[in-house]
Structures are given as structure tokens and as C-alpha cells.
């Protein structure tokens, strides 16, 4: 995925968020230390009806996560400067109320036990694949 051209090339394809007319936008926590990826994905999900909160590190993600009582979804890169997405998944799983769906993404090698325990998407990925995975995660939660 060429994140630099993504903003200009994306048509508005409708919402994958579970927020109907007159309701608050579904909050999504997006975690990646690659600023280009973070901006492109934030733009993509905002255009689809999510309230996107971004973080560029494990510590920032934990801080942002604690600000809201309920999240619709967390998408995190595996490699973060002060930890990893797997650790964030395990940490969110321990939080109350119930943990939100979690999608781990990575452009590098990820231990097999991490990939088998959480929904995983390898970079580079297509926007169709991303949308499909997110839709399935949200549908499974309903």
C-alpha cells in the first residue's frame, strides 16, 4: 500500500463503522509508529464513519485507551518503539469492560503464537482486505 498517495486516491465507499444516523461515531484506536501509515489509515477510517484516535507508541496507546470507556476496535502495528502490538493486545484484553476487537498488522516477522491468537494482517495489504477484516471483526462482536 502506497500510503503517500492514499489520501488523494480514496473514493468515499461508505461506512464500515457501527454508527447509524444520529449516533456517535464508533471510536477506533489506531497505533503505528510510521507517521505516513498512521495518517493514511486515520483518513481512511474517518471517511468510513469512525472517530479515529491515533497513537505512535505503546505508552501513548495505553494512555489513549484509558481515556474512553468503550472502543469499537483497536488496530495496532506489531513493531512499536517502546513495546509491541502483541503486548498491547494482551494489556487491552485485561481491561474492563470487555476488550474490543483487535487487529494486529505488521510488515515484518511476527511470532507464530501471536498470529494464531489474534486477528492478523500482513503489510502490505489492500484496502479491500483491510475493510473486509474490520467488517468481520465488528460483525463478530455484535
Amino acid at each position: 500500500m502506497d500510503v503517500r498517495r492514499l489520501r488523494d486516491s480514496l473514493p468515499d465507499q461508505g461506512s464500515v463503522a457501527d454508527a447509524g444516523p444520529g449516533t456517535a461515531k464508533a471510536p477506533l484506536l489506531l497505533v503505528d509508529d510510521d507517521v505516513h501509515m498512521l495518517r493514511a489509515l486515520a483518513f481512511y477510517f474517518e471517511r468510513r464513519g469512525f472517530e479515529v484516535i491515533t497513537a505512535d507508541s505503546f505508552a501513548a496507546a495505553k494512555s489513549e485507551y484509558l481515556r474512553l470507556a468503550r472502543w469499537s476496535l483497536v488496530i495496532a502495528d506489531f513493531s512499536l518503539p517502546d513495546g509491541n502490538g502483541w503486548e498491547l493486545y494482551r494489556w487491552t484484553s485485561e481491561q474492563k469492560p470487555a476488550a474490543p476487537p483487535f487487529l494486529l498488522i505488521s510488515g515484518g516477522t511476527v511470532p507464530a503464537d501471536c498470529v494464531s491468537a489474534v486477528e492478523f494482517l500482513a503489510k502490505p495489504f489492500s484496502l479491500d482486505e483491510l475493510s473486509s477484516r474490520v467488517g468481520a471483526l465488528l460483525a463478530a462482536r455484535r
Side-chain angles (χ1 to χ4, degrees):
M1 173 163 67
D2 183 357
V3 295
R4 288 172 278 185
R5 294 188 318 209
L6 181 63
R7 180 180 299 263
D8 297 329
S9 66
L10 275 179
D12 187 6
Q13 298 175 356
S15 176
V16 294
D18 189 28
T23 62
K25 290 182 176 184
L28 179 152
L29 179 59
L30 184 57
V31 187
D32 200 315
D33 61 335
D34 178 336
V35 67
H36 297 296
M37 179 66 80
L38 197 60
R39 286 181 184 159
L41 291 178
F43 180 77
Y44 177 79
F45 284 109
E46 286 168 353
R47 296 270 310 251
R48 278 142 187 85
F50 286 93
E51 174 191 358
V52 179
I53 309 299
T54 61
D56 61 1
S57 68
F58 181 77
K62 285 174 60 176
S63 178
E64 290 294 342
Y65 188 92
L66 293 172
R67 288 184 337 119
L68 290 179
R70 185 167 186 261
W71 291 91
S72 62
L73 178 67
V74 176
I75 299 175
D77 189 25
F78 181 78
S79 298
L80 299 170
D82 57 345
N84 64 55
W86 173 249
E87 293 168 339
L88 182 62
Y89 165 72
R90 290 180 46 221
W91 181 83
T92 61
S93 297
E94 298 169 355
Q95 303 307 303
K96 302 292 181 213
F102 197 102
L103 177 61
L104 186 63
I105 59 177
S106 180
T109 304
V110 176
D113 58 335
C114 297
V115 175
S116 65
V118 69
E119 190 70 26
F120 175 76
L121 186 58
K123 294 178 187 177
F125 48 78
S126 72
L127 294 174
D128 288 340
E129 179 66 16
L130 176 64
S131 182
S132 175
R133 293 286 184 93
V134 167
L137 284 168
L138 294 175
R141 183 165 192 196
R142 287 185 216 134

